[in-house]
Amino acid sequence: MTIPTPHINVSEKGIIAETVLMPGDPLRAKFIAETYLDNPVEFNNVRNMFGYTGSYKGKKISIMGSGMGMPSIGIYSYELIHFYGVKNIIRIGSCGAIQEDIKIRDIVIGISASTNSNYASQYELPGTFAPTASWTLAKKAIDMAESKGIPTRVGNILSSDIFYDDDPDTWRKWARMGVLAIEMEAAALYMNAARAGANALCILTVSDSLVSHEVTTSEERQTSFTNMMEIALELA
Ligand code: HPA
């Protein structure tokens, strides 16, 4: 396959930065690019999955939506890494907390991503694979958060294929294993990066709690979102 790829309408290398931040929502990507980047230029609009390249504190960085779920982030991260020379992908998203001591608005860094998905079966491994974040990116993000006085929780997250589970208590089994929170993309991103020798990380804000049934107000979401962005943008 050559560029442009089926899902990213860019026919030259170098237009997309080596580091890409990926929120799930493409309009969120647009908002981030317009709010935080200098000279953002749109590079993709295929299926309205907007992508932008600009600079942050003088460093080139791209922001592009991933869509929801592992098939979607699987497609976009694969094309970015294999066809556009992307080296670092940082997912920035939201998650549902499944531990009592993780509260809405907290920031969770997924050092590993357990999953109920079958994504790893393509690698035909003689066992189970542990999708893991890049230690370099994770350490940088944790150090950055500490230096800014932003508290984070670092641990195992669950990348689930199911948002509306037939059994509403399934999450409790993952919680028993110490998993911090549920989202829907990180495991596929970590596997694509691992297979290609690239770096990936997932930083999340807690939007709801399956334990307390609390949800964030839009105001609260904004504060934790800003904190998460301050960490993620410094990874360029
Ligand atoms: N489940 C899966 N993904 C999510 C959730 C959740 O409860 N909250 C935010 N993203």
Side-chain angles (χ1 to χ4, degrees), residues 3 15 34 58 81 88 106 108 119 138 173 184 199 222 235:
I3 56 175
I15 289 179
E34 288 171 354
I81 293 168
N88 310 298
D106 282 359
V108 172
Y119 201 85
K173 293 180 180 165
M184 307 187 80
N199 310 302
Q222 197 55 44
L235 300 175

Side-chain angles (χ1 to χ4, degrees), residues 38 42 46 68 96 110 116 135 156 166 170 199 232:
D38 294 322
E42 185 183 293
V46 178
M68 286 187 286
N116 55 21
W135 172 246
N156 196 359
D166 196 51
T170 303
N199 310 302

Side-chain angles (χ1 to χ4, degrees), residues 34-158:
E34 288 171 354
T35 308
Y36 294 99
L37 300 193
D38 294 322
N39 308 312
V41 176
E42 185 183 293
F43 64 76
N44 191 54
N45 59 13
V46 178
R47 288 175 183 251
N48 289 329
M49 196 56 80
F50 303 119
Y52 304 83
T53 298
S55 61
Y56 180 76
K57 295 188 181 171
K59 289 188 183 146
K60 187 171 168 180
I61 189 165
S62 295
I63 320 229
M64 180 177 164
S66 71
M68 286 187 286
M70 282 176 268
S72 187
I73 199 166
I75 289 169
Y76 293 112
S77 60
Y78 188 95
E79 291 184 10
L80 289 171
I81 293 168
H82 288 268
F83 298 98
Y84 296 105
V86 171
K87 304 264 187 289
N88 310 298
I89 298 182
I90 298 114
R91 162 167 154 70
I92 42 177
S94 63
C95 64
I98 59 171
Q99 297 291 338
E100 202 172 351
D101 63 344
I102 297 191
K103 307 295 182 197
I104 54 170
R105 290 170 50 189
D106 282 359
I107 291 180
V108 172
I109 294 178
I111 194 73
S112 53
S114 299
T115 187
N116 55 21
S117 129
N118 202 31
Y119 201 85
S121 66
Q122 64 181 306
Y123 307 115
E124 301 186 337
L125 298 165
T128 48
F129 184 70
T132 307
S134 149
W135 172 246
T136 309
L137 286 179
K139 180 160 193 323
K140 234 172 139 179
I142 295 160
D143 290 349
M144 188 55 60
E146 275 176 8
S147 75
K148 290 177 183 287
I150 301 169
T152 57
R153 290 291 302 263
V154 183
N156 196 359
I157 56 177
L158 173 68

Side-chain angles (χ1 to χ4, degrees), residues 94-96 163 182-184 207-208 210:
S94 63
C95 64
F163 189 85
I182 310 182
E183 55 85 68
M184 307 187 80
S207 59
D208 54 278
L210 282 76

Side-chain angles (χ1 to χ4, degrees), residues 21-25 28-29 31-32 36 56 61 63 90-95 105-110 140-142 144-145 148-152 183 201-207 220-236:
L21 305 189
M22 301 194 88
D25 178 356
R28 190 36 85 84
F31 170 81
I32 294 165
Y36 294 99
Y56 180 76
I61 189 165
I63 320 229
I90 298 114
R91 162 167 154 70
I92 42 177
S94 63
C95 64
R105 290 170 50 189
D106 282 359
I107 291 180
V108 172
I109 294 178
K140 234 172 139 179
I142 295 160
M144 188 55 60
K148 290 177 183 287
I150 301 169
T152 57
E183 55 85 68
L201 180 66
C202 175
I203 309 176
L204 303 160
T205 60
V206 177
S207 59
E220 289 170 329
R221 271 202 295 277
Q222 197 55 44
T223 318
S224 45
F225 174 76
T226 305
N227 283 344
M228 176 174 67
M229 287 314 307
E230 281 191 24
I231 302 169
L233 284 161
E234 297 287 352
L235 300 175

Side-chain angles (χ1 to χ4, degrees), residues 146-197:
E146 275 176 8
S147 75
K148 290 177 183 287
I150 301 169
T152 57
R153 290 291 302 263
V154 183
N156 196 359
I157 56 177
L158 173 68
S159 299
S160 178
D161 272 343
I162 305 159
F163 189 85
Y164 297 107
D165 200 308
D166 196 51
D167 172 1
D169 287 322
T170 303
W171 63 269
R172 295 181 194 279
K173 293 180 180 165
W174 295 100
R176 286 205 292 262
M177 293 302 288
V179 172
L180 304 180
I182 310 182
E183 55 85 68
M184 307 187 80
E185 292 83 15
L189 172 63
Y190 289 0
M191 285 188 252
N192 274 358
R195 179 70 181 85

